[in-house]
Amino acid sequence: MGFEKITPWQEHEFWLGILKDHAYFIRDYLSPTEDKWVKHAEYYIEWFGNVEEEMKKVPRNLPPSASEMIQLSEWAQDVSYQYYTFEGHLLHLRLFNQVNLNLSPSYLNGTLAENREYLRILKSYMKGNEYQSLSLVNLLDLWLDDQRGHAALLIDILDSAEIDLIERARALMVQFSQFMVKNDMFKGYLHFTQPGFPAQIRFAEDVSIQVVAFTKLVEEVLQMYVKDEVLNNSTLRFLEHHFPEACYFMKKLSYYAPFIHYPDCKLTKPTLRNNTTA
């Protein structure tokens, strides 16, 4: 099935929510002894929240050329860029084991890549223009790494006694890793072939099938989590973070493969849609 195009307002809603989550995760996975960095993370949580409140005052149907949207984009760029430099510094410290942060360099590399994509979008929005969509190969580059990372994180947050769930997540992590290798091969083909050739579109459809399978697994774990039925070390926010990102990926992928097999979805977390705390 295909999806409706994501509007500029929805882009802001999605990305501000995602980056605010990232700031929460930094705070939650820092040792309490890292008081300085915890305070920095809380500062950005509040700042992203403030920009979200301003966003809610902007009409949802405005084009990027509207003055209100340009101003919103400027506010979003300010916080997103400064947060980008903050998280990048933590990555540097993590590489040299100079910060007590229970997140890996690969995790931080992935969240920084997502932040860069929003900054790329904002560069056009601040000029009042629509942004250029990522090519299919670059779209897959960004979000396959995200899906692989989510599978690795799911393995990490599950208790070692949850062997069946861990094995299912590991199989999907391997599948996404294989997709990343295949997508890298397609980059070479594109030196001599126009994008969108049949094998590449079939590949996009294969990716969508596995994203659906992984989302169903995360949904299964989430349902067990809210019933206290799964052994884990996670939070509701951390588990739910998968859903808007997978939805965004599939909506963007549908531009290239209109008949991808993905159910209707939302760009916000379920708890936000139900007005409950995350």
Side-chain angles (χ1 to χ4, degrees):
M1 62 166 292
F3 295 96
E4 291 184 3
K5 183 175 174 63
I6 300 173
T7 67
W9 195 95
Q10 289 174 321
E11 289 278 1
H12 287 300
E13 180 186 39
F14 168 75
W15 286 109
L16 290 169
I18 292 302
L19 295 185
K20 185 173 73 172
D21 270 1
H22 292 172
Y24 268 108
F25 301 150
I26 292 293
R27 185 201 67 179
D28 292 347
Y29 285 85
L30 278 165
S31 166
T33 61
E34 299 285 3
D35 183 62
K36 172 185 174 181
W37 301 127
V38 168
K39 288 179 178 176
H40 272 69
E42 290 178 338
Y43 169 73
Y44 285 110
I45 290 168
E46 182 179 1
W47 193 356
F48 278 119
N50 290 340
V51 177
E52 283 181 320
E53 289 304 311
E54 293 301 322
M55 176 195 71
K56 293 174 184 177
K57 300 174 185 176
V58 176
R60 292 170 173 257
N61 60 348
L62 288 182
S65 57
S67 59
E68 299 97 321
M69 290 298 290
I70 291 174
Q71 185 175 51
L72 174 61
S73 297
E74 290 172 346
W75 289 334
Q77 198 276 343
D78 195 12
V79 61
S80 299
Y81 179 74
Q82 291 196 42
Y83 180 71
Y84 178 75
T85 60
F86 164 65
E87 203 174 82
H89 182 61
L90 289 181
L91 169 59
H92 172 77
L93 296 177
R94 180 67 279 177
L95 286 169
F96 291 92
N97 298 316
Q98 294 173 356
V99 63
N100 192 345
L101 172 63
N102 192 27
L103 291 169
S104 70
S106 293
Y107 166 86
L108 294 167
N109 207 41
T111 56
L112 286 163
E114 291 166 19
N115 197 328
R116 278 195 299 275
E117 173 62 6
Y118 189 33
L119 291 172
R120 183 187 75 86
I121 291 169
L122 289 171
K123 188 174 181 180
S124 293
Y125 279 176
M126 288 191 296
K127 297 176 182 176
N129 300 325
E130 292 283 357
Y131 69 91
Q132 183 174 351
S133 296
L134 289 174
S135 66
L136 177 54
V137 72
N138 288 334
L139 180 74
L140 289 166
D141 240 0
L142 176 64
W143 293 109
L144 279 174
D145 186 49
D146 176 72
Q147 295 293 298
R148 184 205 59 79
H150 285 195
L153 289 167
L154 183 59
I155 293 167
D156 287 344
I157 66 176
L158 288 168
D159 188 276
S160 59
E162 299 286 3
I163 298 172
D164 176 61
L165 293 172
I166 290 171
E167 288 305 311
R168 289 164 63 189
R170 182 171 288 117
L172 284 158
M173 183 180 71
V174 170
Q175 180 68 80
F176 289 129
S177 297
Q178 292 171 343
F179 282 156
M180 290 172 68
V181 172
K182 189 170 185 177
N183 191 54
D184 197 54
M185 296 301 294
F186 277 101
K187 292 178 187 177
Y189 307 154
L190 294 174
H191 288 295
F192 302 96
T193 304
Q194 289 296 310
F197 57 97
Q200 190 182 29
I201 299 304
R202 182 181 66 81
F203 176 50
E205 294 172 348
D206 290 343
V207 168
S208 74
I209 291 169
Q210 295 305 315
V211 174
V212 171
F214 183 39
T215 300
K216 288 179 178 177
L217 175 59
V218 179
E219 177 66 33
E220 185 179 335
V221 174
L222 176 65
Q223 292 304 317
M224 289 188 285
Y225 180 91
V226 298
K227 296 176 183 177
D228 301 326
E229 294 176 350
V230 63
L231 304 173
N232 72 98
N233 61 18
S234 188
T235 64
L236 181 61
R237 182 182 295 274
F238 203 74
L239 282 170
E240 287 196 323
H241 187 76
H242 169 79
F243 298 109
E245 291 192 329
C247 182
Y248 186 88
F249 180 24
M250 290 297 96
K251 284 179 180 286
K252 294 294 185 180
L253 198 56
S254 73
Y255 300 166
Y256 299 99
F259 302 106
I260 61 171
H261 312 287
Y262 199 81
D264 190 29
C265 60
K266 301 292 183 182
L267 295 171
T268 54
K269 298 194 297 295
T271 48
L272 293 181
R273 298 200 295 276
N274 297 331
N275 295 317
T276 59
T277 57

